[in-house]
Amino acid sequence: MAHSPFGSFQPEAIEISKGLAAEIRRAAEQAGCAFFDAAAVAGPCDEDSIHMDAANHAALARALEPLVHQLLD
């Protein structure tokens, strides 16, 4: 993240954020809600290490499409 304008994030914060999906999954299960870990199929772009580029948006859309159909059926 040194090249990112958001480079002030501490490495510890990045590591802590990687545990966020598990916490949200637990909360979703308790609430009876669907959960999808977007980080399992997409990641940040090289430009700023935070936002997704077009390829990652497309990967996320491809992964979500069958799940959305399943939830709507």
Side-chain angles (χ1 to χ4, degrees):
M1 293 227 9
H3 65 284
S4 172
F6 305 101
S8 62
F9 287 137
Q10 298 298 315
E12 299 84 20
I14 295 168
E15 286 306 310
I16 290 169
S17 74
K18 291 178 181 177
L20 185 58
E23 296 298 323
I24 294 173
R25 179 187 303 276
R26 276 192 282 281
E29 288 172 355
Q30 289 176 353
C33 296
F35 171 79
F36 180 80
D37 183 2
V41 297
C45 68
D46 291 334
E47 187 175 332
D48 67 9
S49 300
I50 292 180
H51 299 94
M52 294 190 308
D53 58 15
N56 280 288
H57 276 284
L60 180 58
R62 282 190 303 274
L64 283 174
E65 181 183 14
L67 301 175
V68 170
H69 286 288
Q70 182 181 25
L71 288 170
L72 295 176
D73 284 342

